[in-house]
Each structure stands twice: as structure tokens, then as C-alpha cells.
């Protein structure tokens, strides 16, 4: 029998089975306001890392204190719902994995979108799905089984490309900063400066202070965040730090067969038609096609 990760369908959209439907329905009704900061991603593309960088910028380089949890500071909109999002301090920073057309929009809110190549995203999502034993009922699932679900979009938050393609189409918007996980890895300082300048005059001053920039980079590094996985997500089953795992580019080669790499590259080409999407990860796509 083939194992598939569990999910629920809320009003036509695939969501984790443990997220209450009220959170989803009311979350979509949240009215974005000027000054709001949305951190939008497809799952496993660097959300937590971006959340902590935004937090660090807005707190002048001071990290999230031990004992506090990122899920309270920057809540996940379609999990906690509208009222919980309205309760957080301003500027409201909100995490979402919603596609563009479901995300609450305001021209004076800011949207930070982080994309990651789909090969590494699939591997990261596979480990995440196996780690949440009760949520997904996929503890013994194989990568081959997960890959078929990822490719067909039959997983929570749906098809990777349904998320990426419309957000990418808005990358020139004044209130949207589009970054990739790979850019953040290659040049963390440049990514932090771009985020600070995007977030407004005060955050821009923060990231242009060399000592503060250094602190932000240090505290958001993989090694630093890995030390205390409890801070980044709600309690993990079996202590598995699924949100801070390997933090590498290219781990996909350890999981994908040649045929799987070709199939995902083919889907990429189909979904990228008429766009510049392929310019985001030319080397990875070439390796996948090789
Ligand atoms: P891997 O599973 O490939 O290691 P999300 O926060 O969207 O769920 O993304 C999780 C992915 O981001 C995981 O990828 C995790 O290790 C990686 N990640 C988390 N914090 C990071 C950091 N500070 N630097 C680099 N990668 C990080």
C-alpha cells in the first residue's frame, strides 16, 4: 500500500489536518493594514529564518529571547485566525503560506516573499512531514511516496507552483520584496540589508549600523538558530527539529532519482512558461536535467 501524508481540504484549499477550520476561514478575512509586514512563503522555503531576521531587524539586533516562541511573535495567519493576528503588537508581522490571491492585501502593507528551489523544498518538506508523526500519519513514508504527492500538489498548502508563480508575478510591486533562500545563503548581509531597507526608514538605519548588522547575521545564522529549536515552532514530536534541519543548498541530490529530477524539471518548465522563473535557479535546473 502506498503511504500519503494526511491533509484536510478547507473550502477547496489543502491545509494541515491539525489546523482548525475557523483559523483558516477567519484568517482569510483579516484586513491588512498600512504598516503590516507579511512573510509569505511556500512551506520549507526559509520562513522561520526570514521571520527571525525580520524580528532581529525590528529589535535592533536582539534575538528572540529564550523561553519565547516565534509562533507568538509572528503568528501563522491561516492557523491562528483573524482575532489572534489583530492582537499582536504593531507593526504586525504575520506569517503566511497562502497563495497570492488568498493573502489579505493592502497597498501600504509590506510583503516579503522567500522562494526556494523546488528540489530542496521537496526534500525539506519530506523530512518535515515524517517528523510530525501525528499530524501527517507518514512516519514510515518514503521519499518516493512523498515525491509523487509533491509533484501532483496533493499535500498541505497545495502545489508548490500555484504558490510561487503568482507571487513571482508581483515581484516588481513597490510593497513586495522577492528573495530566494539561495540568495540569503550566498549573501546573508545583502539579504538583511535589502530587508531592512524594504521595511522602512528606521529598519534601514538599523541594518546600516555595522555592529547591529553583524548581530543580526550572527543570531540568524543556521548554527545559532539550530542551538535552540524550541524557540522557532510549536512543540515538536520526538524532539525532531524539523524547522531547523540541514540548511543546505543541494541536499536534493541525496534523495532524487534521475527520473524524479527530470519530472520535476519538466513540471518547472511547464509552469514557468512565459515567465522569467527559470532565471532564479539556472544551475540547479541544469543539474536536474543533466
Ligand atoms: P532543510 O530542511 O533543508 O534543512 P521553513 O522555516 O519554511 O519551514 O523552512 C525550513 C528550512 O529552512 C529547513 O531546511 C531549515 O533547516 C532551513 N533553515 C531554518 N533556519 C535556517 C537558517 N538560519 N539558515 C539556513 N537555513 C535555515
Amino acid at each position: 500500500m502506498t503511504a500519503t501524508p494526511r491533509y484536510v481540504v478547507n473550502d477547496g484549499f489543502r491545509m494541515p489536518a491539525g489546523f482548525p477550520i475557523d483559523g483558516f476561514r477567519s484568517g482569510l478575512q483579516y484586513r491588512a493594514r498600512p504598516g503590516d509586514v507579511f512573510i509569505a512563503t511556500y512551506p520549507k522555503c526559509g520562513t522561520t529564518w526570514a521571520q527571525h531576521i525580520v524580528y532581529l531587524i525590528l529589535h535592533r539586533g536582539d534575538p528572540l529571547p529564550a523561553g519565547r516562541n516565534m509562533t507568538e511573535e509572528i503568528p501563522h495567519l491561516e492557523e491562528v485566525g483573524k482575532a489572534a493576528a489583530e492582537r499582536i503588537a504593531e507593526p504586525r508581522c504575520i506569517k503566511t503560506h497562502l497563495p497570492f490571491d488568498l493573502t489579505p492585501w493592502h497597498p501600504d502593507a509590506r510583503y516579503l516573499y522567500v522562494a526556494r528551489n523546488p528540489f530542496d523544498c521537496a526534500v525539506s518538506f519530506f523530512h518535515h512531514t515524517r517528523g510530525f508523526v501525528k499530524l501527517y500519519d507518514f512516519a514510515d513514508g518514503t521519499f518516493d511516496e512523498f515525491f509523487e504527492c509533491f509533484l501532483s500538489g496533493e499535500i498541505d498548502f497545495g502545489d508548490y507552483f500555484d504558490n510561487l508563480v503568482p507571487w513571482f508575478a508581483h515581484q516588481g510591486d513597490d510593497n513586495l520584496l522577492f528573495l530566494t533562500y539561495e540568495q540569503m545563503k550566498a549573501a546573508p548581509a545583502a539579504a538583511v540589508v535589502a530587508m531592512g531597507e524594504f521595511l522602512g526608514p528606521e529598519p534601514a538605519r538599523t541594518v546600516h549600523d555595522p555592529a547591529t548588522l553583524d548581530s543580526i547575521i550572527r543570531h540568524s545564522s543556521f548554527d545559532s538558530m539550530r542551538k535552540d529549536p524550541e524557540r522557532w515552532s510549536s512543540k515538536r514530536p520526538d524532539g525532531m527539529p524539523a524547522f531547523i534541519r540541514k540548511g543546505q543548498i543541494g541536499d536534493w541530490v541525496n534523495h532524487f532519482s534521475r527520473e524524479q529530477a527530470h519530472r520535476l524539471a519538466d513540471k518547472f518548465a511547464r509552469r514557468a512558461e512565459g515567465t522569467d522563473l527559470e532565471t532564479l535557479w539556472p544551475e540547479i535546473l541544469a543539474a536536474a536535467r543533466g
Side-chain angles (χ1 to χ4, degrees):
M1 213 177 76
T2 308
T4 56
R6 182 166 45 208
Y7 58 80
V8 293
V9 182
N10 291 345
D11 306 330
F13 189 73
R14 292 182 175 87
M15 288 286 292
F19 284 25
I21 184 148
D22 290 352
F24 175 79
R25 289 211 172 122
S26 80
L28 266 57
Q29 297 308 313
Y30 174 78
R31 289 170 75 95
R33 305 189 324 172
D36 283 357
V37 177
F38 286 83
I39 298 168
T41 54
Y42 185 74
K44 312 321 293 173
C45 290
T47 329
T48 318
W49 187 15
Q51 281 175 285
H52 197 210
I53 294 175
V54 167
Y55 179 94
L56 282 158
I57 293 173
L58 296 178
H59 291 80
R60 295 191 174 78
D62 291 335
L64 182 70
R68 297 275 282 281
N69 195 285
M70 187 55 86
T71 59
E72 291 151 13
E73 301 292 330
I74 306 186
H76 190 172
L77 181 63
E78 58 273 26
E79 178 177 11
V80 301
K82 178 172 182 267
E86 285 169 351
R87 276 197 297 274
I88 57 177
E90 293 180 13
R92 291 177 182 161
C93 298
I94 297 171
K95 158 183 166 176
T96 185
H97 292 320
L98 291 172
F100 182 85
D101 63 343
L102 294 182
T103 301
W105 186 258
H106 191 288
D108 298 321
R110 292 181 171 88
Y111 297 81
L112 166 64
Y113 187 84
V114 180
R116 187 182 193 183
N117 79 78
F119 302 88
D120 286 326
C121 172
V123 168
S124 184
F125 212 161
F126 164 65
H127 289 288
H128 170 100
T129 302
R130 290 219 319 181
F132 278 98
V133 176
K134 291 202 179 108
L135 188 61
Y136 291 106
D137 194 18
F138 192 67
D140 299 322
T142 64
F143 181 73
D144 291 351
E145 288 167 329
F146 184 81
F147 175 78
E148 296 304 325
C149 300
F150 184 87
L151 197 68
S152 62
E154 286 171 39
I155 46 177
D156 48 348
F157 299 103
D159 189 298
Y160 167 93
F161 295 97
D162 287 348
N163 189 290
L164 173 65
V165 176
W167 279 105
F168 182 72
H170 284 269
Q171 69 160 327
D173 292 5
D174 288 343
N175 61 341
L176 193 143
L177 177 65
F178 189 99
L179 292 177
T180 65
Y181 179 92
E182 293 77 10
Q183 283 173 329
M184 289 166 64
K185 284 284 290 186
V192 171
V193 168
M195 288 188 208
E197 289 179 344
F198 172 69
L199 290 172
E202 187 56 39
R205 274 192 289 279
T206 298
V207 297
H208 283 292
D209 174 67
T212 313
L213 176 62
D214 183 60
S215 173
I216 295 169
I217 291 167
R218 238 173 340 101
H219 288 297
S220 62
S221 72
F222 182 80
D223 288 342
S224 168
M225 287 182 65
R226 190 177 170 82
K227 276 186 204 137
D228 189 5
E230 298 297 315
R231 265 188 296 169
W232 313 119
S233 54
S234 37
K235 209 149 177 54
R236 315 235 53 78
D238 313 327
M240 181 184 166
F243 284 70
I244 320 281
R245 191 185 62 91
K246 228 170 169 180
Q248 288 177 2
I249 301 170
D251 191 30
W252 66 272
V253 298
N254 300 316
H255 292 75
F256 275 66
S257 68
R258 220 180 165 72
E259 191 228 344
Q260 285 167 339
H262 285 169
R263 287 171 67 204
L264 184 52
D266 285 350
K267 178 162 179 179
F268 195 112
R270 278 198 307 281
R271 296 300 306 265
E273 223 171 276
T275 76
D276 290 335
L277 215 54
E278 298 229 0
T279 59
L280 293 178
W281 303 289
E283 284 158 20
I284 291 171
L285 284 165
R289 289 178 179 131

